[in-house]
Structure formats: C-alpha cells, structure tokens
C-alpha cells in the first residue's frame, strides 16, 4: 500500500505518505528537510510496518500560514495527524528536529509512543547551538544548496527563506526546548538515543543527560559522528540497529 494525502489540521495543510501494512512506524525528518530524506536511510520497504512519513509544518509540501515554528506546535501536528489516521499507539524515529518533536510527543501523551529512536536530539539548546542558529540565513546558501532545497520545498523561495528565519529564531527560544530530568522521567516509551560524539550543535553530554533521565533508555554514541550521523556509509548500520531496537519490545 502507498497512499499520499494532504490533511487540513491545526491551521495548516500537512502532506503525508503512508507505505506498507502492519504496526505503525512514524518517521520525522530534520529541520529544513522533508519526508523524502528518509529514502537515503531506508532504501527498501520496511516489512511488517505501516510507515507514516509526514512533511512537518512549513517543510516540503506542508504549509505554515502562521509564520511561526515551535517544536511543541510540530508535536501537536503529529498527534493530530495520528488521530486523523486512526493510529492510537505507534513507534517512531526522529532525526534532529524530528527527534526534538518526539520528546514533546512522548511527554505530552506518553501512552501513545511504544518505542522511539532519537537521532541527534537535545533536552535544551546549549550556547554553541544558539551561536550557530544566530548565523542561520538563506543568504549564505550556495547555488547547489538552493537547488537541493527547491527540490524538497515546493512552495517557492519564500518558503525556504521562512524556514531559515525560523531556525534563526530558535536562538532566542528558552521555553520550547526545556526538558528537565524530572520531565524526561515521565517518558514511558523504550528509547534509543543515537548521538555523534562530534556533534557541533549538541555536545554528547546532552545525550548522556537524556539517557540518564529517561527510564527505559539505551544510548549509542557514534564514534567520530557529527550531527545526524545516519546517512552515507552509516545508513546500513543505523537501519539495522534502529529496527532491531524497535522490534525488541
């Protein structure tokens, strides 16, 4: 089964593709990415899963008329999408933005997430990340980067510029990503935390903080890994490890 639909929910149009049949598995992409990015990680059908791949608010084919973006908003969109699809309980994998979204999902409605894989997540934004966010601008993109982004985001260059402005605005956000250990301890999902030890945004000690606070957590630190170390040569190993973890419960 392969279905592509656009849902009207929470004041946006949310594009979503659904592949296969079986247990629901939600894949959430990273910031300025799109659901299509997952084809570089999972290059074959995921047998036994009903794979749900949305374009998050303002990304890809989805819209965001409000012009604002928070991870709490995006989590609300994901939960509303699950309601529309009739999915009560699910497993999930999120990378960067998608992983931070899953922290909100798993704390807002813990009973709905059975197991999840968090790639390059963070409980809060450290100073180094805020410094890099402050430099986020579409004006420095190369022609090649523009071409790649235009393939993903179908609503024109204004959509891309808006995404970069929203990423920049996170430098001044302190209440959206603010997961204390007691708050993280409310997560009931089995959780695999995947983190590169050379992540330029989120030092590996933040992954250890999450691992220590989340009750049913496992930690995989990727040696010499940067931010979202699951592409290229790492994709097969990540795919095998993530799927083995999700199926273990």
């Amino acid at each position: 089964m392969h279905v592509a639909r656009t849902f009207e929910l929470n004041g946006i149009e949310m594009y979503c593709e659904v592949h296969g049949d079986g247990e629901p598995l939600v894949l959430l992409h990273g910031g300025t990415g799109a659901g299509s990015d997952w084809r570089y990680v999972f290059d074959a059908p995921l047998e036994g899963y009903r794979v749900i791949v949305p374009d998050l608010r303002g990304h890809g084919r989805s819209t965001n008329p409000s012009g604002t973006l928070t991870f709490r908003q995006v989590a609300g969109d994901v939960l509303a999408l699950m309601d529309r699809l009739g999915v009560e309980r699910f497993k999930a994998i999120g990378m960067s933005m998608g992983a931070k979204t899953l922290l909100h999902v798993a704390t807002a409605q813990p009973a709905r997430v059975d197991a999840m894989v968090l790639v390059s997540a963070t409980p809060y934004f450290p100073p180094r990340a805020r410094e890099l966010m402050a430099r986020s601008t579409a004006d420095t993109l190369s022609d090649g980067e523009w071409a790649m982004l235009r393939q993903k985001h179908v609503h024109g260059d204004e959509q891309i510029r808006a995404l970069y402005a929203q990423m920049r605005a996170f430098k001044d956000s302190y209440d959206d990503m603010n997961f204390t250990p007691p708050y993280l301890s409310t997560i009931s999902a089995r959780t695999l935390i995947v983190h590169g030890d050379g992540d330029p945004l989120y030092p590996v000690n933040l992954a250890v903080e999450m691992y220590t606070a989340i009750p049913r957590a496992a930690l995989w630190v990727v040696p010499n890994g940067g931010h979202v170390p699951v592409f290229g040569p790492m994709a097969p190993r990540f795919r095998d490890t993530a799927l083995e973890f999700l199926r273990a419960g």
Side-chain angles (χ1 to χ4, degrees):
M1 180 187 72
H2 176 203
V3 177
R5 289 184 58 188
T6 299
F7 297 86
E8 292 188 5
L9 51 86
N10 293 349
I12 69 170
E13 294 180 355
M14 191 172 196
Y15 177 80
C16 178
E17 295 188 4
V18 181
H19 309 268
D21 295 290
E23 188 176 13
L25 173 60
V26 182
L27 304 181
L28 302 182
H29 63 76
T32 72
S36 58
D37 292 344
W38 288 104
R39 71 183 185 273
Y40 300 113
V41 179
F42 299 111
D43 57 359
L46 298 178
E47 298 297 333
Y49 287 108
R50 178 189 180 195
V51 184
I52 301 167
V53 190
D55 286 351
L56 300 177
R57 173 180 289 254
H59 291 71
R61 297 178 182 275
S62 296
T63 65
N64 184 13
S66 72
T68 63
L69 185 70
T70 69
F71 296 99
R72 186 175 285 106
Q73 273 181 315
V74 177
D77 298 338
V78 171
L79 287 167
L81 176 65
M82 295 303 103
D83 290 342
R84 295 288 290 275
L85 291 173
V87 174
E88 180 58 32
R89 190 167 171 83
F90 54 90
K91 295 177 179 178
I93 306 175
M95 63 172 82
S96 193
M97 179 180 182
K100 293 188 280 287
T101 297
L102 284 175
L103 286 176
H104 277 288
V105 170
T107 49
Q109 297 188 23
R112 298 193 72 170
V113 186
D114 177 55
M116 62 182 181
V117 179
L118 307 177
V119 181
S120 300
T122 185
Y124 51 84
F125 294 134
R128 176 59 176 163
R130 295 183 188 278
E131 292 171 9
L132 293 174
M133 290 168 184
R135 302 176 200 166
S136 177
T137 172
D139 294 332
T140 61
L141 294 171
S142 68
D143 290 345
E145 289 169 329
W146 270 109
M148 186 180 301
L149 288 164
R150 285 165 178 152
Q151 288 179 353
K152 297 181 184 181
H153 307 295
V154 303
H155 300 297
D157 288 1
E158 287 187 7
Q159 178 188 16
I160 297 168
R161 290 188 178 279
L163 285 174
Y164 274 81
Q166 290 156 2
M167 298 299 141
R168 179 183 176 87
F170 286 137
K171 69 183 175 62
D172 298 317
S173 171
Y174 290 88
D175 62 342
D176 187 29
M177 293 302 300
N178 188 19
F179 287 93
T180 62
Y183 195 17
L184 291 171
S185 74
T186 66
I187 294 175
S188 61
R190 291 188 305 108
T191 303
L192 173 61
I193 298 163
V194 181
H195 210 91
D197 64 3
D199 192 321
L201 286 171
Y202 312 133
V204 71
N205 65 286
L206 296 180
V208 176
E209 284 187 28
M210 292 186 291
Y211 166 69
T212 303
I214 297 172
R216 304 168 66 200
L219 176 61
W220 175 18
V221 176
V222 180
N224 303 311
H227 191 62
V228 193
V230 300
F231 293 105
M234 276 300 299
R237 187 176 174 194
F238 170 76
R239 180 172 59 245
D240 293 345
T241 302
L243 293 176
E244 181 181 0
F245 178 83
L246 291 176
R247 288 175 177 140

